[in-house]
Coordinates of all heavy atoms in Angstrom, one line a residue:
P111 N 105.6 -219.8 -70.4 CA 106.6 -220.3 -69.6 C 106.2 -221.5 -68.8 O 107.1 -222.2 -68.2 CB 107.1 -219.1 -68.8 CG 105.9 -218.2 -68.7 CD 105.2 -218.4 -70.0
I112 N 104.9 -221.7 -68.6 CA 104.4 -222.8 -67.8 C 104.0 -224.0 -68.6 O 104.6 -225.1 -68.4 CB 103.1 -222.4 -67.0 CG1 103.5 -221.2 -66.0 CG2 102.6 -223.5 -66.2 CD1 102.3 -220.7 -65.3
C113 N 103.2 -223.9 -69.7 CA 102.7 -225.0 -70.4 C 103.4 -225.1 -71.8 O 103.2 -226.2 -72.5 CB 101.2 -225.0 -70.5 SG 100.6 -223.7 -71.6
G114 N 104.0 -224.1 -72.3 CA 104.6 -224.2 -73.6 C 103.7 -223.8 -74.8 O 104.1 -223.9 -75.9
M115 N 102.5 -223.5 -74.5 CA 101.5 -223.1 -75.6 C 101.8 -221.7 -76.1 O 102.3 -220.9 -75.4 CB 100.1 -223.2 -75.1 CG 99.0 -223.0 -76.2 SD 97.3 -223.1 -75.6 CE 97.1 -221.5 -74.9
L116 N 101.6 -221.5 -77.4 CA 101.8 -220.2 -78.0 C 100.7 -219.3 -77.5 O 99.5 -219.6 -77.4 CB 101.7 -220.3 -79.5 CG 102.8 -221.0 -80.3 CD1 102.5 -221.1 -81.7 CD2 104.2 -220.3 -80.1
S117 N 101.1 -218.1 -77.1 CA 100.2 -217.1 -76.6 C 100.8 -215.7 -76.7 O 102.0 -215.5 -76.8 CB 99.8 -217.4 -75.1 OG 99.0 -216.5 -74.5
T118 N 99.9 -214.7 -76.5 CA 100.4 -213.3 -76.5 C 100.6 -212.8 -75.1 O 100.9 -211.6 -74.9 CB 99.4 -212.4 -77.3 OG1 98.1 -212.6 -76.7 CG2 99.4 -212.8 -78.8
Q119 N 100.3 -213.6 -74.1 CA 100.4 -213.2 -72.7 C 101.2 -214.3 -71.9 O 101.2 -215.5 -72.3 CB 99.1 -212.9 -72.1 CG 98.2 -214.2 -71.9 CD 96.9 -213.8 -71.2 OE1 96.1 -213.0 -71.7 NE2 96.6 -214.4 -70.0
E120 N 101.8 -213.9 -70.8 CA 102.5 -214.8 -70.0 C 102.0 -214.7 -68.5 O 102.1 -213.6 -67.9 CB 104.0 -214.5 -70.0 CG 104.6 -214.7 -71.4 CD 106.1 -214.5 -71.4 OE1 106.7 -214.3 -70.3 OE2 106.7 -214.6 -72.4
P121 N 101.5 -215.8 -67.9 CA 101.2 -217.0 -68.5 C 100.1 -216.9 -69.5 O 99.4 -215.9 -69.6 CB 100.8 -217.9 -67.3 CG 101.3 -217.2 -66.1 CD 101.3 -215.7 -66.4
C122 N 99.8 -218.0 -70.3 CA 98.8 -218.0 -71.3 C 97.4 -218.0 -70.7 O 97.3 -218.0 -69.5 CB 98.9 -219.3 -72.2 SG 98.5 -220.8 -71.3
E123 N 96.4 -217.8 -71.5 CA 95.0 -217.7 -71.1 C 94.6 -218.9 -70.3 O 93.8 -218.7 -69.3 CB 94.1 -217.5 -72.3 CG 94.3 -216.2 -73.0 CD 95.4 -216.3 -74.1 OE1 96.2 -217.4 -74.0 OE2 95.5 -215.5 -75.0
I124 N 94.9 -220.1 -70.7 CA 94.5 -221.3 -70.0 C 95.2 -221.4 -68.6 O 94.5 -221.7 -67.6 CB 94.8 -222.5 -70.8 CG1 93.9 -222.4 -72.1 CG2 94.5 -223.8 -70.1 CD1 94.1 -223.6 -73.1
C125 N 96.5 -221.2 -68.6 CA 97.2 -221.3 -67.3 C 96.8 -220.3 -66.3 O 96.8 -220.5 -65.1 CB 98.7 -221.2 -67.5 SG 99.4 -222.7 -68.4
S126 N 96.3 -219.1 -66.8 CA 95.9 -218.0 -66.0 C 94.5 -218.1 -65.5 O 94.1 -217.5 -64.5 CB 96.1 -216.7 -66.7 OG 97.4 -216.5 -67.1
S127 N 93.7 -219.0 -66.2 CA 92.3 -219.1 -65.8 C 92.0 -219.7 -64.5 O 92.6 -220.8 -64.2 CB 91.5 -219.8 -67.0 OG 90.2 -220.0 -66.6
K128 N 91.1 -219.2 -63.7 CA 90.7 -219.8 -62.4 C 89.6 -220.8 -62.6 O 89.2 -221.4 -61.6 CB 90.3 -218.6 -61.5 CG 91.3 -217.6 -61.1 CD 90.9 -216.6 -60.1 CE 91.9 -215.6 -59.7 NZ 91.4 -214.5 -58.9
L129 N 89.1 -220.9 -63.8 CA 88.0 -221.8 -64.1 C 88.5 -223.2 -64.5 O 87.7 -224.1 -64.6 CB 87.1 -221.3 -65.2 CG 86.5 -219.9 -64.9 CD1 85.7 -219.4 -66.1 CD2 85.6 -220.0 -63.7
R130 N 89.8 -223.4 -64.7 CA 90.3 -224.7 -65.2 C 90.5 -225.6 -64.0 O 90.9 -225.2 -62.9 CB 91.7 -224.5 -65.9 CG 91.7 -223.5 -67.0 CD 90.7 -223.8 -68.2 NE 91.0 -225.0 -68.9 CZ 90.7 -225.2 -70.2 NH1 90.0 -224.3 -70.8 NH2 91.0 -226.3 -70.8
D131 N 90.4 -226.9 -64.3 CA 90.6 -227.9 -63.3 C 92.2 -228.2 -63.2 O 92.7 -228.8 -64.1 CB 89.9 -229.2 -63.7 CG 90.1 -230.3 -62.6 OD1 90.9 -230.2 -61.7 OD2 89.4 -231.4 -62.8
R132 N 92.8 -227.8 -62.1 CA 94.2 -227.8 -62.1 C 94.7 -229.2 -61.5 O 96.0 -229.4 -61.4 CB 94.8 -226.7 -61.1 CG 94.5 -225.4 -61.7 CD 95.1 -224.2 -60.9 NE 94.8 -223.0 -61.6 CZ 95.5 -222.5 -62.6 NH1 96.6 -223.2 -63.0 NH2 95.2 -221.4 -63.2
S133 N 93.8 -230.1 -61.4 CA 94.2 -231.5 -60.9 C 94.5 -232.4 -62.1 O 95.1 -233.5 -62.0 CB 93.1 -232.2 -60.1 OG 92.0 -232.4 -61.0
K134 N 94.3 -231.9 -63.4 CA 94.5 -232.6 -64.6 C 95.4 -231.9 -65.6 O 95.2 -230.7 -65.8 CB 93.2 -232.9 -65.3 CG 92.2 -233.8 -64.5 CD 90.9 -234.0 -65.2 CE 90.0 -234.9 -64.5 NZ 89.5 -234.3 -63.3
I135 N 96.4 -232.6 -66.1 CA 97.2 -232.0 -67.2 C 97.2 -232.9 -68.4 O 97.6 -234.1 -68.2 CB 98.7 -231.8 -66.7 CG1 98.8 -230.8 -65.6 CG2 99.6 -231.4 -67.8 CD1 100.2 -230.6 -65.0
M136 N 96.8 -232.4 -69.5 CA 96.8 -233.2 -70.8 C 98.1 -232.8 -71.5 O 98.3 -231.7 -71.9 CB 95.6 -233.0 -71.6 CG 95.6 -233.8 -72.9 SD 94.2 -233.5 -74.0 CE 92.9 -234.3 -73.0
V137 N 98.9 -233.8 -71.9 CA 100.2 -233.6 -72.6 C 99.9 -233.8 -74.1 O 99.5 -234.9 -74.5 CB 101.3 -234.5 -72.1 CG1 102.6 -234.3 -72.8 CG2 101.5 -234.4 -70.6
V138 N 100.2 -232.8 -74.9 CA 100.0 -232.9 -76.3 C 101.3 -232.5 -77.1 O 102.2 -231.9 -76.4 CB 98.8 -232.0 -76.8 CG1 97.5 -232.5 -76.1 CG2 99.1 -230.5 -76.4
K139 N 101.2 -232.6 -78.3 CA 102.4 -232.3 -79.1 C 102.7 -230.8 -79.2 O 103.8 -230.3 -78.9 CB 102.3 -232.8 -80.6 CG 103.4 -232.4 -81.5 CD 103.2 -232.9 -82.9 CE 104.3 -232.4 -83.8 NZ 104.0 -232.8 -85.3
D140 N 101.6 -230.0 -79.6 CA 101.8 -228.6 -79.7 C 100.5 -227.8 -79.6 O 99.5 -228.4 -79.3 CB 102.5 -228.2 -81.1 CG 101.8 -228.9 -82.2 OD1 100.5 -229.1 -82.2 OD2 102.4 -229.3 -83.3
T141 N 100.5 -226.5 -79.9 CA 99.4 -225.6 -79.7 C 98.3 -226.0 -80.6 O 97.1 -225.9 -80.2 CB 99.8 -224.2 -80.0 OG1 100.9 -223.8 -79.1 CG2 98.6 -223.2 -79.8
K142 N 98.5 -226.6 -81.8 CA 97.5 -227.0 -82.7 C 96.6 -228.1 -82.1 O 95.3 -228.0 -82.3 CB 98.1 -227.5 -84.0 CG 98.7 -226.4 -84.9 CD 99.2 -226.9 -86.2 CE 100.5 -227.9 -85.9 NZ 101.0 -228.3 -87.2
D143 N 97.2 -229.0 -81.3 CA 96.4 -230.0 -80.6 C 95.5 -229.4 -79.5 O 94.4 -229.9 -79.3 CB 97.3 -231.1 -80.0 CG 98.0 -231.9 -81.1 OD1 97.5 -231.9 -82.2 OD2 99.0 -232.5 -80.8
V144 N 96.0 -228.4 -78.8 CA 95.3 -227.7 -77.8 C 94.0 -227.1 -78.4 O 92.9 -227.2 -77.9 CB 96.1 -226.6 -77.1 CG1 95.2 -225.8 -76.1 CG2 97.3 -227.3 -76.3
L145 N 94.2 -226.4 -79.5 CA 93.1 -225.7 -80.1 C 92.0 -226.7 -80.6 O 90.8 -226.4 -80.5 CB 93.6 -224.9 -81.3 CG 94.6 -223.7 -81.0 CD1 95.0 -223.0 -82.3 CD2 93.9 -222.8 -80.1
A146 N 92.5 -227.8 -81.1 CA 91.5 -228.8 -81.6 C 90.7 -229.4 -80.5 O 89.5 -229.6 -80.6 CB 92.3 -230.0 -82.3
I147 N 91.3 -229.6 -79.4 CA 90.6 -230.2 -78.2 C 89.7 -229.1 -77.6 O 88.6 -229.4 -77.1 CB 91.6 -230.8 -77.1 CG1 92.4 -231.9 -77.8 CG2 90.9 -231.2 -75.9 CD1 93.5 -232.4 -76.9
E148 N 90.2 -227.9 -77.4 CA 89.5 -226.8 -76.9 C 88.2 -226.5 -77.7 O 87.1 -226.2 -77.2 CB 90.3 -225.5 -76.8 CG 91.3 -225.5 -75.7 CD 90.6 -225.5 -74.3 OE1 89.9 -224.5 -74.0 OE2 90.6 -226.5 -73.6
N149 N 88.2 -226.7 -79.0 CA 87.1 -226.5 -79.9 C 85.9 -227.4 -79.6 O 84.8 -227.1 -79.9 CB 87.5 -226.6 -81.4 CG 88.3 -225.4 -81.8 OD1 88.2 -224.3 -81.3 ND2 89.1 -225.6 -82.9

């Protein structure tokens, strides 16, 4: 409900993580792009 990524939890793992830099948001087409960049 926050970032639109496919996930089995709400919010997703990335939005819920305290280790992510919340000052930056990367806008991508869909979840496949997120996975490619995360890899």
Side-chain angles (χ1 to χ4, degrees):
I112 297 176
C113 72
M115 188 178 78
L116 291 174
S117 177
T118 55
Q119 68 179 57
E120 295 184 5
C122 69
E123 296 86 345
I124 294 178
C125 289
S126 301
S127 175
K128 296 181 180 179
L129 301 177
R130 309 297 298 204
D131 183 352
R132 298 185 175 276
S133 68
K134 298 178 176 66
I135 296 179
M136 180 180 290
V137 182
V138 297
K139 176 185 176 182
D140 52 31
T141 303
K142 291 181 291 185
D143 290 340
V144 172
L145 297 178
I147 296 171
E148 282 295 290
N149 285 336

